[in-house]
Amino acid sequence: MTKHFRTLLPVLHRNPTDRLSGSVVWRIATVLVAAALGSATAVAQQPVITESGMRQIQTLLEEKASWSPAQRKLSSQLILEAKRHRGDALFSALPNLRTSLDVARDGTVQVDIRAAVGDDLLLRIEQLGGTVESSYPQYDSIRARMPLVELETLAAEEAVRSIRPADTMMLNKINTSEGDVAHRADLARATESVDGTGVVVGVLSDGVDSLASLQSSGDLPPVVNVLPGQAGSGSEGTAMLEIVYDLAPGANLYFATAFGGQAGFAQNILDLAAAGCDVIVDDVFYFAEGVFQDGIIAAAADQVSAAGVLYFSSAGNSGNLNDGTSGVWEGDFAPAVPPGPLTGFDTHDFGGGASLDTITQDSPFLFTLQWSDPLGGSGNDYDLVLLDATGTTIFAVGATTQDGDDDPFEFIDSGPFNDTGNTLAVVRFTGDGRYLHVNTQRGRLAMATAGQTSGHAAATHAFGVAATDWFNSSGGPFTGGPTNPVEMFSSDGPRRVFYRADGTPITPGDFSSTGGLVRFKPDITAADGVSTATPGFNPFFGTSAAAPHAAAIAALVLENANLTPQGMRAVFAAGALDIEAPGPDRDSGFGIVDALVSAGATSPTSMTCYVDDLVLTGVPNDGPQTFRACTSITTIDGTFTDVTGIAPTIAFENGSVFGASSWGD
């Protein structure tokens, strides 16, 4: 029988909700409900695992300690499903332990294999009855469909490092997006004479199933360039393209799917940049992306950013601490005092003696645990356990072996189940104390913290985009302040990281709350809840809708000035409408992007360009800034000694000094 398993699909940052969800009335009501729930549960804020629950954990971890070298390369979900298939006695001892792996009728499962990719291994997969769906040697990655019963045999191959269920994800002129007026993009086009002409914008999402329909209606241009074989499936990509076209109708549009696994996503980022995209935007998040280190998707985003591409990504729809919607807990591992016969292992104290954190709202996807070890190099072994409300009965576990060459990642599928009221525990199987990140992926926790946004949306040079409902602009431009708050589901920051992309530690020896570095994320905020002509996306809520608004505004700015990512960040910051906490904050970043101010900052009022109009004084330039409407360039603070290019395109190089920083290559 086929079982339902959505654990590692990519997730689009679209929020399926109605108009009222973005309103101030709904916001206030939800805060009041959250406050009431908080006061009701405050008395029972220290749940602990019972003696029965501890014995079951002991049974599970003793089982884990017995796994063979080949089994230790498999995720715990694959091992447990295979044992259930064989009628293993473990399930007599743990009758409530659930598995929900998506096993096809032919007994196969889709898996992601980390390995030294070569012809011999690809042939071995086929010999074992598998089918290779894609392979990326540069990322040590294979996606294949394999017989469940042959996974241990495949794992015994020397070239194979790990096998887990295929990584999954969530997704962050019939009509015109209301964001066009709310962001004053309409005024930017009229006043500054920009529409994105000459700028190439690439979109990454699920698919473009509605492309032909929207081209026929005039909601998309006759030419949208889809990378060969990368059309994907679904229509969220079409809705994102539509928003970009509404605000920047002169831009050239490209598309590629992000639904081919992490390696396929990363490669498509590079391919869009190679195709000439100046701006790239996505709304997809893979649950297994690194929290404390940039993975291959984030590395690809930073790679194209270093070449001058502006990369935008949805910050996520998983909630924030200020609005009482957080579903994440971050902090140092703290050993709890066990109340029962747990030997050789430690459970985690979430605070005040609580060895359990109660799930107050179920996740539509899964629960995850990550800790501050490097990707592909974790030797500290932590596990995630799901128990009932009393901490007596185990329902599920993420207990993959980490023995030195594995990701610091565990997950439990919740998609087919309602786990509201159940509890989560963290167990240290072996190793040192680490900084933890427990995430309910759009669920809620009784004990929660800030720090929801992660993955490539938190990459150093990417623009992570939060969402605010255009409806609160009352049909006109955004005004900022308390009338334009972020959506209650918009994911907050900041993002603490402990490792560089190559796995080297930022603060060697300190992998706790005092180590690493903290990135200011998200970066900016843009509109959601807007109208589109794409079927199923009217209205279009979520940071999936916000990110293409910001990308389109960047295209308007780029028509005047080919700013580097750093230059664009400074322009956006200078003109943003402040919302949430005064100044930059962990919910909205710099605030709501204003297209008119941003485009005006780089659009000269005469044929002479003044550098100081950029409001970049004191900001170091990481590459030449190119302006497209200048015959001469002057500055208040100095004169450029090496201005190159042929009018109307001139680039700044070897520039003069502004404050304490210099411009130049």
Side-chain angles (χ1 to χ4, degrees), residues 113-126 132 135-138 140-142 159-160:
I113 305 164
R114 178 179 293 166
V117 181
D119 292 340
D120 289 346
L121 181 58
L122 298 177
L123 177 61
R124 182 60 173 151
I125 290 172
E126 294 180 358
V132 176
S135 63
Y136 298 90
Q138 68 273 34
D140 293 339
S141 175
I142 301 171
V160 173

Side-chain angles (χ1 to χ4, degrees), residues 405-660:
D405 60 354
D406 305 280
D407 288 340
F409 175 71
E410 297 290 353
F411 66 89
I412 292 172
D413 185 25
S414 184
F417 311 97
N418 182 2
D419 287 309
T420 300
N422 290 333
T423 57
L424 289 171
V426 174
V427 177
R428 179 172 59 176
F429 184 66
T430 59
D432 298 325
R434 287 293 183 261
Y435 193 73
L436 306 179
H437 178 95
V438 179
N439 201 323
T440 60
Q441 308 295 349
R442 297 193 189 176
R444 302 286 180 265
L445 285 171
M447 288 175 282
T449 68
Q452 178 66 59
T453 194
S454 64
H456 64 279
T460 299
H461 298 296
F463 293 83
V465 187
T468 184
D469 194 341
W470 78 270
F471 191 72
N472 293 327
S473 67
S474 301
F478 287 124
T479 57
T483 60
N484 301 131
V486 298
E487 294 276 23
M488 295 188 69
F489 54 73
S490 193
S491 294
D492 64 3
R495 171 54 28 231
R496 183 181 295 273
V497 293
F498 291 89
Y499 300 90
R500 301 177 182 88
D502 63 3
T504 58
I506 295 169
T507 53
D510 188 352
F511 306 106
S512 69
S513 55
T514 59
L517 63 83
V518 177
R519 292 177 182 167
F520 172 69
K521 297 289 176 178
D523 299 89
I524 51 177
T525 301
D528 79 332
V530 300
S531 301
T532 77
T534 304
F537 294 85
N538 189 24
F540 188 6
F541 274 98
T543 54
S544 284
H549 280 97
I553 293 170
L556 298 180
V557 176
L558 286 184
E559 186 175 347
N560 280 330
N562 272 352
L563 300 180
T564 63
Q566 183 183 11
M568 184 65 73
R569 196 178 308 276
V571 167
F572 278 169
L577 295 169
D578 192 27
I579 61 174
E580 298 290 336
D585 59 77
R586 70 188 184 201
D587 296 296
S588 69
F590 290 113
I592 300 173
V593 179
D594 189 299
L596 182 59
V597 173
S598 296
T602 55
S603 181
T605 56
S606 67
M607 294 304 289
T608 299
C609 295
Y610 291 90
V611 177
D612 303 278
D613 288 343
L614 283 174
V615 200
L616 291 177
T617 299
V619 178
N621 176 31
D622 58 4
Q625 307 287 352
T626 304
F627 288 74
R628 287 197 179 99
C630 311
T631 55
S632 62
I633 301 174
T634 61
T635 76
I636 294 173
D637 294 335
T639 302
F640 281 84
T641 58
D642 185 8
V643 178
T644 61
I646 301 174
T649 301
I650 301 175
F652 294 146
E653 297 182 49
N654 304 319
S656 58
V657 174
F658 293 88

Side-chain angles (χ1 to χ4, degrees), residues 30-31 34 320-326 444-445 488:
T30 307
V31 169
N320 61 81
L321 183 63
N322 285 357
D323 286 327
T325 56
S326 173
R444 302 286 180 265
L445 285 171
M488 295 188 69

Side-chain angles (χ1 to χ4, degrees), residues 193-210:
S193 298
V194 291
D195 65 359
T197 295
V199 180
V200 184
V201 180
V203 171
L204 288 148
S205 187
D206 56 354
V208 285
D209 289 354
S210 300

Side-chain angles (χ1 to χ4, degrees), residues 198-225:
V199 180
V200 184
V201 180
V203 171
L204 288 148
S205 187
D206 56 354
V208 285
D209 289 354
S210 300
L211 179 58
S213 173
L214 267 71
Q215 287 175 314
S216 297
S217 68
D219 286 284
L220 282 175
V223 177
V224 174
N225 304 281

Side-chain angles (χ1 to χ4, degrees), residues 12-35:
L12 292 159
H13 290 310
R14 177 194 180 198
N15 199 64
T17 185
D18 57 21
R19 167 59 57 201
L20 188 59
S21 72
S23 71
V24 175
V25 173
W26 184 90
R27 181 185 181 87
I28 294 173
T30 307
V31 169
L32 291 175
V33 170

